[in-house]
Every structure is written in C-alpha cells, then in structure tokens.
C-alpha cells in the first residue's frame, strides 16, 4: 500500500520540513533543512484537485464531470484552493524577505 | 490506482442529499431543464388543485383562473427570485457567477411546491379547505361567534394538515433557495445571509407587483 506523504507533525501540528534525500542509484545522501515546496504543503485532496485541473485542461466543465459534481461546486473548490495558494505564497514571500541578510 | 489524482469519496449520493442540497450535483442547464419541468408540473397540477403560487414565496388556495395564469404565476415567481439573487451574487461574490446556474438552481428549488400542489389535488382536501376558509371569512363579520361553527371535524383535520404542510413546504423552499444562492454565488456565512434576505424580500415584492398588473389586465378583459 502506498503511504501518503506526511506534511504536518503528528505531535504538534506544525508544518514538517525535509532534512535529507537519498539517491537510490548511487546511494548519495544530501542532508540539510529543506522547506517543502508550496505544492507539497497542500493536503492530498488539494493536490489531486490541482492535478485533475491540469488533466482536464483547466476546463471546469470537464473537471465537474470527473468529480461528478455540479459546475459551481467545483468552481468554488478551485477558487478556495486559489485563495489558499495565494495566502501561502504571500507567507513564503514574507518569510524569505525576513531571512535575507 | 494513481493516488495522486484519486478523486475524493463523493458525498453519499443519498436521498437526503438530493432533497436538501441537490445543487452539489446539479446546476446549469441540467438544473434548468429539471426546474422548468418542476414549474410546468406544479402549474398543471395547480390548475385542478386550485393552488396559486402568487409570489416568490406566496401561495394560496381557492380562486379559479384561466389556465395560463397558473403558468404565468410559476414563471414570475421563479424569474423574480433568479433576478434578485443574480444581482446580489454579482455584487457580493468574488467568483464568476453564471446566470444559467442561478436560473437553473432557483427553478429546481421550487420542487416543494409540486408536493403541496399534489396534496391539494384530491377533491376532499380541496373542498375541506375551501369550506373551512369560507366559514372563517364569514366569521370575520361576526366577531363574537365560534369561527369554526358548522365545520366538520374531518374538514378541520384536513385544514390543519394543509396548514402544517404549507409551513413545512415553505421552510423547505426557503432552505433550497438559500443553498442554491450560496452554491451558485460561492457565498457563505454572514455574507450569504446578508445577500439572501434582502434579495428574497425584493423578489417577493417584485413578483407580487408583476402579478398584480397581470391580474388587473386579466380582470379588465
């Protein structure tokens, strides 16, 4: 069974960061503190919505058929996701301004 | 199965979901076709049942009228609601509100009135209600007397059931109209309520005004 990618700490609820990657081909490991990319910080169903939006060629009618929901229901979900991504981008931009030397 | 694009478990397509939030599944042209079916069906039943949907929310039993009046009432009630909810949605919503979604869902929301018209269709129910209303109207000119004097117990029970059903259908209608407005205009919470209530009141006033002109024109000819 494929495990879902963890993004939230099960202990305190804060966002998780990545501390290491490994190359399966040559066993090279890379360690550090890596903030997860914006898209990875979305919930699985939100990532699925974005991917399906892409697969439907950004056609909300096609997306509504895929989800077996009405057009306005799907539109509302996409709009909510867009607002969330915009807020996350603003937070990231603010955080990177703070960390600049 | 590709879990990345796996679609979420859709809300159980239960009868309850379809009865109280059908707009999760149906809007646009589909809802419009179904809604027009609802309006036409309720008008057809209303002709015999002698029920008048004479306003966005209003309905009365009794007066006979030419057949086309019943269809006009249904159309005016629906379009008045759609017009004001569309205006409210365009003003308040940050999303792109489609006219066809508002038109279709507001038409479909009128479904409870088909059920009320069906209840009033059988002759015993019609005659019981007309009889009780007539007795009550006569008692207005005789304040001291028992308003239900001479009314059969059976007729009174049918009248009582009709009154309760009327309230239930009205509440259901308003709930469906609100869900239709909230979903099609992507509004929730205080914003949705602040848009819904004035739009509903304006729609009711507007529909009454249009129908008043229609009735006046009908009685003049």
């Amino acid at each position: 069974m494929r495990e879902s990618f963890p993004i939230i700490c099960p202990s305190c609820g804060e966002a998780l960061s990545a501390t290491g990657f490994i190359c399966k081909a040559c066993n090279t490991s890379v360690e550090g503190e890596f903030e997860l990319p914006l898209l990875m910080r979305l919930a699985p169903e939100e990532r699925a919505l974005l991917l399906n939006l892409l697969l439907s060629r950004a056609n909300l009618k096609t997306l509504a058929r895929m989800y077996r929901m009405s057009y306005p229901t799907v539109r509302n979900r996409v709009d909510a996701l867009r607002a969330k991504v915009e807020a996350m981008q603003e937070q990231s931009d603010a955080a990177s301004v703070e960390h600049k030397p | 199965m590709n879990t990345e694009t796996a679609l979420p478990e859709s809300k159980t397509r239960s009868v309850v979901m379809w009865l109280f939030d059908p707009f999760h599944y149906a809007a646009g042209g589909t809802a419009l076709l179904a809604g027009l079916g609802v309006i036409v069906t309720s008008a057809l039943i209303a002709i015999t049942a002698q029920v008048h949907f004479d306003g966005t929310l209003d309905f009365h039993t009794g007066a006979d009228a030419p057949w086309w009046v019943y269809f006009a009432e249904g159309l005016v009630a629906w379009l008045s609601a759609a017009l004001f909810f569309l205006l409210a949605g365009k003003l308040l919503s940050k999303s792109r509100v489609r006219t066809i979604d508002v038109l279709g869902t507001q038409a479909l929301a009128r479904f409870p009135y088909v059920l009320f018209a069906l209840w009033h269709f059988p002759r015993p129910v019609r005659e019981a209600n007309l009889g009780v209303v007539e007795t009550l109207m006569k008692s207005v000119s005789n304040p001291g007397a028992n308003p239900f004097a001479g009314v059969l117990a059976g007729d009174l029970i049918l009248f009582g059931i009709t009154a309760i059903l009327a309230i239930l259908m009205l509440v259901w209608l308003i709930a469906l109209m609100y869900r239709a407005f909230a979903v099609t205009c992507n509004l929730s919470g205080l914003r949705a309520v602040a848009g819904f209530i004035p739009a509903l009141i304006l729609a009711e006033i507007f529909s009454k005004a249009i129908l008043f002109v229609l009735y006046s024109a009908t009685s003049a000819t």
Side-chain angles (χ1 to χ4, degrees):
Chain A
M1 190 186 77
R2 199 163 156 182
E3 308 259 337
S4 63
F5 193 90
I7 55 174
I8 299 292
C9 174
S11 174
C12 67
E14 286 297 311
L16 292 171
S17 306
T19 58
F21 298 90
I22 188 162
C23 173
K24 283 186 176 178
C26 66
N27 267 343
T28 302
S29 63
V30 179
E31 289 180 7
E33 196 177 318
F34 309 101
E35 193 184 291
L36 292 177
L38 188 146
L39 291 180
M40 290 309 301
R41 285 182 267 140
L42 296 173
E45 56 273 14
E46 291 169 333
R47 280 200 300 275
L49 178 62
L50 269 181
L51 287 171
N52 286 320
L53 187 62
L54 193 62
L55 291 172
S56 67
R57 292 190 172 90
N59 184 314
L60 290 184
K61 282 186 195 171
T62 308
L63 194 62
R65 273 197 295 273
M66 285 168 78
Y67 277 85
R68 294 170 67 209
M69 291 176 188
S70 65
Y71 176 98
T73 301
V74 161
R75 179 210 56 207
N76 296 348
R77 290 188 183 197
V78 169
D79 283 353
L81 183 55
R82 182 172 53 83
K84 183 175 180 179
V85 167
E86 276 174 358
M88 286 166 78
Q89 265 182 333
E90 276 169 27
Q91 254 183 347
S92 284
D93 291 345
S96 63
V97 162
E98 270 178 30
H99 288 128
K100 267 188 182 160
Chain B
M1 185 181 70
N2 185 347
T3 55
E4 290 285 0
T5 54
L7 299 181
E9 291 280 329
S10 59
K11 284 190 197 183
T12 313
R13 288 177 173 267
S14 63
V15 172
V16 171
M17 203 49 201
W18 273 106
L19 287 178
F20 296 102
D21 194 10
F23 318 110
H24 184 80
Y25 306 119
T30 309
L32 183 60
L33 275 175
L36 286 172
V38 161
I39 291 168
V40 167
T41 304
S42 56
L44 286 171
I45 300 169
I47 292 169
T48 306
Q50 286 182 275
V51 177
H52 289 274
F53 299 111
D54 53 347
T56 295
L57 297 177
D58 238 354
F59 55 98
H60 294 100
T61 57
D64 209 0
W67 64 268
W68 59 267
V69 169
Y70 296 91
F71 289 94
E73 286 169 345
L75 289 173
V76 168
W78 159 51
L79 290 171
S80 302
L83 171 68
F84 286 97
F85 288 133
L86 183 62
L87 285 172
K90 294 273 189 195
L91 276 169
L92 294 170
S93 179
K94 293 175 188 169
S95 296
R96 191 174 78 90
V97 177
R98 297 194 315 171
T99 305
I100 193 163
D101 285 333
V102 177
L103 280 172
T105 54
Q106 289 301 328
L108 191 55
R110 306 200 71 76
F111 174 73
Y113 279 4
V114 174
L115 300 181
F116 183 79
L118 274 173
W119 161 255
H120 212 255
F121 187 87
R123 188 193 286 268
V125 176
R126 271 203 320 272
E127 288 180 351
N129 287 322
L130 289 172
V132 171
V133 168
E134 223 172 84
T135 307
L136 283 172
M137 296 300 284
K138 282 179 189 166
S139 74
V140 168
S141 54
N142 197 3
N146 176 6
F148 297 110
V151 174
L152 297 173
D155 286 356
L156 207 51
I157 290 169
L158 283 173
F159 180 75
I161 294 172
T162 303
I164 291 168
L165 273 175
I167 293 167
L168 288 174
M169 295 300 114
L170 178 63
V171 169
W172 190 7
L173 171 72
I174 294 173
L176 285 174
M177 288 170 85
Y178 176 77
R179 282 307 303 155
F181 175 66
V183 169
T184 57
C185 301
N186 194 13
L187 291 166
S188 60
L190 200 56
R191 221 174 160 83
V193 173
F196 181 75
I197 293 174
L200 186 63
I201 292 170
L202 286 170
E204 174 69 7
I205 295 169
F206 183 77
S207 62
K208 289 299 233 186
I210 297 288
L211 287 169
F212 176 77
V213 171
L214 183 73
Y215 296 144
S216 305
T218 310
S219 51
T221 55

